[in-house]
Amino acid sequence: LSVVRYDATFAFVGFYICRPRLRGRGLGRELFEAGLARVEAATLGLDGVLEQEANYARDGFVTAHHSVRYGGTLDLTSTGGDDLRALGIGDLDALVTFERAHQVFPAPRPAFLARWLTAPGSTALAVGDGNRIEGYGVARACREGHKIGPLFCPDRTAAERLLLALVAHVDDGPIFLDVPTPNVDGTALARDLGLEPVFETARMYRGPAPELYLDRVFGVTTFELG
């Protein structure tokens, strides 16, 4: 289990798993309670598997929405556009400002983004004229294929251009995109590109639910870290 505290207002639970042969002994419950006892944040979030949604509710978590993971391979017909550019550590302040202004993540996370952008096997791109950031996305290598996350954009057009550009930068193989179900344009984009639903989670919060513009969240950063 991990509990990541972004600031005094928001923390996130993830990586919650127990070896199958050791399940049924109460180890998971003990671990979960120990993690929650160490949280020092007004709001705690998680993306839980649907089978455990009722159990999390008994611990005070309230469902805000579901998210669906879409996966598959893309037959590229476009690679984005001329106003797309690579992101690096020098863009960190602008990215933090973008996320706060567009309300796509519940808390500022400069330390996280500094590592997420530069992690081995990751590609980060932004859309916008000059040094402006009007939307951005990151593709990261996984055991199988790549995951796209986050994918934060003002509209479907920008999201599609960024998504195709990111896929063009990675090796062949499946790609996966985690879309909040309230973002109907994001769901339509994934389906129109031929991606299929493979997994679903419940985004739940204990404490005040953050006010996010989910219509700009075309891809969740990660189910494990928020």
Side-chain angles (χ1 to χ4, degrees), residues 138-152:
V138 179
R140 67 188 189 277
C142 302
R143 287 187 178 183
E144 180 186 12
H146 289 75
K147 289 179 182 174
I148 308 297
L151 184 61
F152 297 154

Side-chain angles (χ1 to χ4, degrees), residues 92-116:
L92 184 58
D93 289 344
L95 283 172
V96 172
T97 299
F98 169 85
E99 289 197 344
R100 303 309 293 155
H102 290 269
Q103 291 184 235
V104 289
F105 194 80
R109 49 179 182 169
F112 173 86
L113 289 176
R115 290 155 180 80
W116 198 251

